[in-house]
Amino acid sequence: MSALPVVAQQAAPPAPAAISTELQACMKVSDNTARLACYDRQMNGQAMLALPASPIAAQAETAQPGAPAQVVVAPPGSMPPTGDTPPDEGFLSRFWELSPADKRGTFNYTAYRPNFFLPLRGMRKVNQHPSSPSRGVANSLPNFQHLETKLQISLRTKVFEDVLLPNADLWVAYTQQSTWQTWNNEESSPFRNTDYQPELIYMVPMPSGMQHLPFGWKWRLTSVGLVHQSNGQSDKLSRSWNRAYASFGVERGGLNANLRVEAPLAKSNDKYDDNPDIERYLGNVQAQVNWSPGRSIASLTWRPSLSGRGSVELNWSYPVNAEHPDGLRWYVQAFHGYGETLLDYNFRQTSLGAGFTIFKF
């Protein structure tokens, strides 16, 4: 689920006013190559465009107690910070570029959901006979093991800025999640399932007059979106569904929450629907709470269901090197319920995986 680029200091930083004047001078250079060289000179060749790895990992860029001060600079082509720049509005604003000071332009690819590699993921039981009302039961599957690998890659980019409403942006995103029988040498280590999820997101920042909520919470954003999810398989293993959603993001210090309400886009005939009863298992609501106590980052996601099914997922990460909280991180994920993968949407699963974040953009 970003901040303006952060420059790690190895020497005393220039005064903010000087940085502003020098970068403004660079903006007046018309030649792209010369302008970029100007930015490099002003920052002594130390500038790095650091984007958060996910809405959760964005919190890792918050200065830790005892850490040196950081200089925040604007990327080439955008307005540098000045004395008139409003104070930081929180990582939700940085991640989704909700304020003019956070805008980075279009087609800057960065991460969306966490990108992770869990080489060890243990399952309480394995779905050896996946089924759905419209596809029947699949019986001729490899002998899957309880220990496998799980990995996820998730990217996004903004395609339009300031669309229809003030500071509202249109984003596209793509997430791919795979479960891989890495340790199953007897079956040639097959991929058990891969889910593909393209998404269209219209992100609207809330006006300052509407942000304030009780107990110090702030309503930062509202978004609407369209999402397709499928596993790309055929016949009895095929699973897919399309849905529209509206979500609402709130924040208070190092704690933020998101409520998402979904509306499936029904097909004309259930016999063409790979999983017509998926709502009974996954429901139409998702609530997520993210917490950043120090260098740790924790996320709890709950999908309730009126049928008594649903799911709960807990994610936790911590930097491998505590001095670099935005670098490589340990990653642990626990899941219980239905729908960890589309193939298992109606199969109750309990799993625990451990590994690393893969990369960030």
Side-chain angles (χ1 to χ4, degrees):
M1 221 171 178
S2 59
L4 290 175
V6 176
V7 178
Q9 292 189 343
Q10 298 178 353
I19 292 176
S20 175
T21 301
E22 293 165 351
L23 293 181
Q24 285 180 344
C26 291
M27 291 178 60
K28 297 178 181 180
V29 179
S30 58
D31 181 75
N32 290 338
T33 302
R35 185 170 62 253
L36 181 58
C38 178
Y39 280 106
D40 287 341
R41 286 196 302 272
Q42 301 305 332
M43 300 313 301
N44 297 320
Q46 299 178 29
M48 292 181 61
L49 297 182
L51 307 181
S54 73
I56 306 168
Q59 298 177 82
E61 294 184 350
T62 302
Q64 302 298 327
Q70 294 176 320
V71 178
V72 180
V73 298
S78 66
M79 288 298 295
T82 68
D84 298 328
T85 300
D88 177 36
E89 295 184 355
F91 86 91
L92 279 180
S93 180
R94 298 195 303 273
F95 186 82
W96 286 112
E97 305 177 28
L98 301 179
S99 70
D102 290 328
K103 299 295 184 184
R104 293 196 309 271
T106 56
F107 297 102
N108 293 309
Y109 290 88
T110 183
Y112 177 32
R113 294 186 172 92
N115 291 274
F116 58 76
F117 176 70
L118 309 180
L120 298 175
R121 171 179 174 268
M123 300 175 286
R124 188 173 64 87
K125 53 184 177 180
V126 182
N127 188 4
Q128 288 291 165
H129 304 285
S131 66
S132 80
S134 58
R135 298 300 181 192
V137 180
N139 291 311
S140 301
L141 296 181
N143 183 25
F144 294 131
Q145 294 181 351
H146 288 244
L147 183 66
E148 63 182 12
T149 294
K150 183 177 181 180
L151 60 129
Q152 178 171 286
I153 296 175
S154 185
L155 305 173
R156 68 190 171 110
T157 187
K158 186 197 304 179
V159 293
F160 292 105
E161 274 192 350
D162 300 320
V163 181
L164 299 179
L165 296 174
N167 295 319
D169 302 324
L170 185 66
W171 298 75
V172 294
Y174 175 76
T175 302
Q176 183 171 315
Q177 177 183 281
S178 297
T179 52
W180 178 17
Q181 291 273 297
T182 313
W183 316 106
N184 193 348
N185 296 325
E186 294 181 0
E187 298 291 346
S188 299
S189 305
F191 277 83
R192 190 170 63 86
N193 185 75
T194 296
D195 291 337
Y196 309 92
Q197 185 169 304
E199 195 168 340
L200 184 68
I201 309 162
Y202 180 58
M203 185 64 59
V204 182
M206 300 308 299
S208 57
M210 299 178 61
Q211 289 189 14
H212 297 283
L213 298 173
F215 309 109
W217 286 90
K218 289 190 176 182
W219 182 8
R220 293 296 194 189
L221 59 86
T222 298
S223 68
V224 293
L226 296 172
V227 57
H228 166 79
Q229 188 177 7
S230 62
N231 67 352
Q233 301 201 50
S234 59
D235 301 327
K236 294 183 178 182
L237 297 178
S238 177
R239 305 286 185 269
S240 68
W241 68 326
N242 304 306
R243 55 207 190 274
Y245 67 82
S247 70
F248 312 91
V250 298
E251 186 174 35
R252 181 189 177 190
L255 190 66
N256 72 87
N258 182 277
L259 178 66
R260 172 164 151 168
V261 181
E262 302 174 344
L265 304 178
K267 297 183 179 181
S268 58
N269 192 320
D270 279 351
K271 74 178 182 179
Y272 298 114
D273 193 340
D274 296 334
N275 29 251
D277 58 342
I278 193 169
E279 291 177 75
R280 292 177 52 202
Y281 294 91
L282 303 189
N284 296 317
V285 175
Q286 175 179 289
Q288 184 180 73
V289 178
N290 305 315
W291 183 39
S292 178
R295 289 177 172 82
S296 295
I297 298 171
S299 171
L300 180 66
T301 304
W302 177 43
R303 290 193 67 99
S305 172
L306 295 177
S307 67
R309 297 179 175 92
S311 67
V312 60
E313 180 181 279
L314 176 64
N315 293 271
W316 174 87
S317 75
Y318 191 84
V320 173
N321 184 342
E323 300 303 318
H324 299 280
D326 59 342
L328 186 68
R329 301 177 68 89
W330 303 107
Y331 202 91
V332 176
Q333 183 181 84
F335 179 91
H336 175 74
Y338 296 84
E340 184 175 14
T341 70
L342 266 185
L343 190 64
D344 298 334
Y345 82 92
N346 55 2
F347 182 81
R348 188 176 182 181
Q349 182 63 275
T350 299
S351 67
L352 178 65
F356 307 89
T357 54
I358 302 176
F359 51 70
K360 72 176 201 173
F361 288 82

